[in-house]
Amino acid sequence: MEEKVTQTPEKEVYSRNFIETIIDKDLEDGKVKEVCTRFPPEPNGYLHIGHAKSILLNYGLAKQYNGVFHMRFDDTNPTKEKTEFVESILKDIQWLGADWGEHLYFASDYFDKMYEGAVKLIKKGKAFVCELTPEQIREYRGTFDQPGKESPYRNRSIEENLDLFERMKNGEFEDGSIVLRAKIDMASPNINMRDPVIYRVAHLHHHNTGDKWCIYPMYDFAHPIEDAEENITHSICTLEFEDHRPLYDWVVRELEYPQPPQQIEFAKLYLKNVVTGKRYIKKLVEEGTVDGWDDPRLVSIAALRRRGFTPESIQKFIELCGVAKANSAVDYAMLEYCIREDLKLKAARVMGIVDPIKLVIDNYPEDQSEMLVAPNNQENEAMGTREISFSKELYIEREDFMIEPPRKYFRMFPGNEVRLMHAYFVKCTSYETDENGNVTVIHGTYDPASKGGNSPDGRKVKGTIHWVDAKTAIPCECRLYENLIDEEKGVYNEDGSMNINPNSLTVAHAFVEKYLEDAQAYDKFQFVRNGFFCVDAKDSKPGALVFNRIVSLKSSFKLPK
């Protein structure tokens, strides 16, 4: 939660974000004795990278101040909510490292309290039952330039309102025919304060309360009650709720909570040219554009996990983004930078050939093979070494051979000598083509004295290429991802449709070292020169491995100074 801005031999100085400054003052003034925060998602979809910022911010603050963190589902709208989403959200939050302990709650746990609160408002003359249609309510609300008009039902007696509200609860009215509204101020410059609806009729089965209720509270009424009932001290939410804060404060004040929570808004996390909104991701899923909510091209937390991102990389990304009051957009390249930095010392560096072509070493003995030793990570000796097999026939990358190379091309071409990584010097002598002129096989000769990649006579080669032994290589599928959105056109067309990149997924039939034969779901490796890859948890099976490319090795992103 803290950002180090200067360092001297004597001490380190930290800047505080604006939320920490508020909490510091609340603790200093005695307004708050123990910090209590919460993350309150609606279970109507999977969480995405933007939610990760809120999760880690709320959890991080509670941990930083030795406080309490609550996990709570805002399940007040049964039309969109599913148990599937509840389970996926819990899994995502645990994976990110946020620990709620015993503090798992549901807004529906407080439905009785919310009903009692509504009755209390009616008795105070602060709420009334309204029979205007939804269209009429919108019409009566007014505009930013004109005040609203009072409902003809606004001045019903307390007794009539109590009777009608109880009949709403008992199921006597059809959906949409009648609502309960707060009685505040139809001339308020804040439209949210113009007698907002706080309860509606909805004869729907609820995933947690079953068929007990046929009326459900609106979010703006339910949320402050949930926070107050749980003794949340700082209700931290995103900027779109800033205009709702007066209503939030009105609810907890009118319901006379002795220690009302304080709502604080911060800027959302936006990624440039990336689809983050839940409803847009849902559309992509329902239209079959992507392979479910966890498609690795998405930035849902489940998708990032499946693609191969780590909790630590996301935590670092959120830390770099910081906490601000103004919205801004971040390059996806920053997220890629974070996963590269996290994996560079963790992932074994192995050889995988994504676009294979056969290399035959003509002077290598036909029936011979040998085992060579290779480090698992040249930057992390603690990861040890492994053995790799070598024989007459190998696979190399197709791009590592050219018949007529351009200048400064140092890989394989007729007459040129290259180093096979961890193995020998090999000189290209010839090649074979098919009837269309496409190269099918490359031939070469090796120097037995250059084992380990060094020549005893001191001659130098400028090119080093990777390879796998055709005898022992494991066939697999590699999925290569690009941005789901065509970055040149932007995310949306004028008609609201999305500019989908037709090349967002390329499937390659590849070969990897035998070392990866028993790789398990979520295992991560660096394929030399090709990027970081992760075993797909959904489609990979023993004997039929599938790897997702997490990120390439090259980056244009530079960490801000």
Side-chain angles (χ1 to χ4, degrees):
M1 307 310 300
E2 299 178 335
E3 179 187 359
K4 186 166 67 177
V5 293
T6 60
Q7 182 176 345
T8 67
E10 295 80 22
K11 64 178 181 177
E12 294 179 346
V13 180
Y14 292 91
S15 67
R16 313 287 280 175
N17 67 51
F18 75 97
I19 297 176
E20 291 170 325
T21 301
I22 292 170
I23 294 175
D24 288 345
K25 188 171 191 311
D26 288 345
L27 289 168
E28 184 181 337
D29 294 347
K31 180 181 175 182
V32 169
K33 290 184 171 54
E34 181 182 56
V35 172
C36 186
T37 62
R38 83 289 171 269
F39 175 64
E42 183 181 357
N44 63 352
Y46 283 52
L47 302 183
H48 56 69
I49 187 69
H51 295 107
K53 180 176 181 179
S54 183
I55 294 164
L56 295 173
L57 174 60
N58 279 283
Y59 176 68
L61 287 167
K63 189 175 179 181
Q64 177 182 338
Y65 288 97
N66 296 314
V68 181
F69 172 71
H70 288 195
M71 173 60 213
R72 182 211 307 144
F73 286 98
D74 253 317
D75 57 343
T76 59
N77 185 5
T79 59
K80 300 179 180 178
E81 296 158 0
K82 296 180 182 178
T83 302
E84 172 197 353
F85 298 140
V86 171
E87 292 171 351
S88 74
I89 288 169
L90 291 176
K91 183 178 180 181
D92 289 345
I93 295 171
Q94 285 180 316
W95 179 76
L96 280 172
D99 180 13
W100 59 81
E102 299 177 353
H103 299 285
L104 175 61
Y105 306 102
F106 290 82
S108 51
D109 295 338
Y110 310 111
F111 279 172
D112 288 303
K113 290 282 187 182
M114 293 171 192
Y115 180 79
E116 292 169 9
V119 169
K120 183 172 185 175
L121 291 180
I122 293 172
K123 289 180 176 178
K124 291 177 70 173
K126 299 286 186 169
F128 66 99
V129 175
C130 182
E131 295 175 57
L132 291 177
T133 66
E135 293 76 17
Q136 289 172 322
I137 290 176
R138 280 194 292 273
E139 180 186 339
Y140 275 50
R141 187 174 289 135
T143 66
F144 290 111
D145 301 320
Q146 295 180 328
K149 185 169 61 173
E150 291 186 357
S151 165
Y153 306 101
R154 195 176 196 267
N155 296 314
R156 277 176 160 153
S157 68
I158 290 173
E159 292 72 23
E160 186 181 4
N161 281 317
L162 288 171
D163 175 65
L164 286 168
F165 189 51
E166 184 174 1
R167 289 168 59 193
M168 285 171 62
K169 181 186 70 129
N170 294 338
E172 294 185 27
F173 299 100
E174 294 181 0
D175 293 3
S177 63
I178 195 166
V179 295
L180 181 70
R181 296 173 67 180
K183 188 188 291 187
I184 307 179
D185 180 6
M186 289 304 292
S188 172
N190 186 333
I191 292 180
N192 295 298
M193 300 295 281
R194 295 180 187 176
D195 293 4
V197 174
I198 58 175
Y199 259 95
R200 81 278 197 196
V201 178
H203 292 81
L204 294 168
H205 182 82
H206 190 280
H207 76 96
N208 196 29
T209 59
D211 298 316
K212 178 180 177 181
W213 297 92
C214 63
I215 56 170
Y216 291 96
M218 303 300 287
Y219 177 86
D220 278 347
F221 179 66
H223 192 228
I225 294 175
E226 298 156 30
D227 284 347
E229 288 291 331
E230 292 178 18
N231 297 312
I232 301 299
T233 56
H234 300 88
S235 181
I236 299 163
C237 54
T238 46
L239 280 177
E240 70 261 35
F241 293 102
E242 186 173 25
D243 290 340
H244 297 249
R245 193 194 324 146
L247 179 54
Y248 182 102
D249 293 341
W250 183 89
V251 170
V252 292
R253 182 173 65 250
E254 292 298 336
L255 294 182
E256 302 170 29
Y257 282 101
Q259 293 182 307
Q262 178 182 1
Q263 179 174 305
I264 306 170
E265 305 86 19
F266 70 98
K268 266 187 174 182
L269 171 59
Y270 292 99
L271 287 175
K272 294 176 184 176
N273 293 320
V274 172
V275 179
T276 52
K278 257 196 292 192
R279 64 190 178 101
Y280 294 110
I281 295 176
K282 184 179 180 182
K283 183 180 180 184
L284 291 170
V285 172
E286 291 176 347
E287 291 177 350
T289 305
V290 295
D291 173 31
W293 287 88
D294 62 351
D295 186 298
R297 290 169 291 179
L298 298 173
V299 289
S300 65
I301 295 173
L304 292 169
R305 180 170 63 247
R306 181 180 170 192
R307 183 157 173 173
F309 281 81
T310 61
E312 295 83 2
S313 66
I314 295 175
Q315 291 162 10
K316 180 64 176 177
F317 173 65
I318 299 302
E319 180 185 327
L320 289 176
C321 289
V323 179
K325 293 183 179 181
N327 285 327
S328 60
V330 179
D331 281 328
Y332 185 79
M334 184 191 284
L335 181 58
E336 293 181 320
Y337 165 84
C338 292
I339 187 62
R340 286 190 192 96
E341 286 295 298
D342 188 53
L343 291 182
K344 69 180 182 181
L345 297 180
K346 292 180 179 178
R349 296 179 184 178
V350 301
M351 294 191 287
I353 306 301
V354 173
D355 186 13
I357 188 170
K358 185 167 283 188
L359 167 64
V360 179
I361 303 175
D362 293 323
N363 65 332
Y364 195 89
E366 188 75 38
D367 299 323
Q368 183 176 319
S369 64
E370 59 183 303
M371 300 304 293
L372 305 173
V373 176
N376 285 329
N377 189 319
Q378 289 91 331
E379 294 183 60
N380 184 0
E381 292 183 1
M383 292 188 68
T385 61
R386 70 188 185 283
E387 288 191 327
I388 50 177
S389 64
F390 184 89
S391 64
K392 185 180 185 70
E393 295 189 357
L394 312 172
Y395 289 114
I396 65 170
E397 293 287 356
R398 188 172 296 275
E399 68 172 18
D400 283 344
F401 173 79
M402 294 186 75
I403 299 172
E404 297 179 359
R407 288 184 61 204
K408 297 187 177 180
Y409 180 87
F410 301 122
R411 284 170 266 172
M412 189 164 274
F413 56 87
N416 192 45
E417 189 172 43
V418 299
R419 177 187 293 104
L420 295 182
M421 188 173 285
H422 312 306
Y424 297 97
F425 286 7
V426 171
K427 186 173 184 178
C428 177
T429 55
S430 63
Y431 58 91
E432 300 175 26
T433 61
D434 60 18
E435 62 274 14
N436 297 315
N438 300 310
V439 178
T440 55
V441 180
I442 304 162
H443 290 269
T445 57
Y446 85 118
D447 177 0
S450 63
K451 188 172 182 178
N454 295 296
S455 174
D457 62 10
R459 72 181 185 276
K460 304 292 185 183
V461 296
K462 292 185 177 180
T464 299
I465 64 174
H466 59 290
W467 53 275
V468 294
D469 185 353
K471 272 187 181 178
T472 60
I474 305 299
C476 64
E477 180 179 299
C478 285
R479 296 173 179 175
L480 311 177
Y481 298 104
E482 294 181 10
N483 197 332
L484 183 63
I485 297 299
D486 187 327
E487 296 184 43
E488 291 185 3
K489 297 179 180 177
V491 179
Y492 305 110
N493 293 307
E494 291 183 4
D495 62 1
S497 62
M498 283 178 266
N499 285 310
I500 302 299
N501 175 9
N503 301 313
S504 62
L505 169 61
T506 300
V507 176
H509 299 287
F511 289 99
V512 294
E513 294 179 34
K514 187 175 175 60
Y515 177 71
L516 277 65
E517 184 176 26
D518 298 321
Q520 303 296 307
Y522 299 115
D523 283 351
K524 299 167 185 64
F525 305 91
Q526 183 186 137
F527 289 6
V528 173
R529 284 192 20 232
N530 279 315
F532 290 98
F533 286 76
C534 175
V535 179
D536 187 78
K538 194 171 184 178
D539 297 330
S540 190
K541 296 176 178 60
L545 291 173
V546 176
F547 291 92
N548 298 322
R549 184 160 67 183
I550 310 167
V551 64
S552 65
L553 298 179
K554 295 179 180 179
S555 173
S556 59
F557 175 79
K558 294 188 184 300
L559 187 65
K561 293 181 180 179

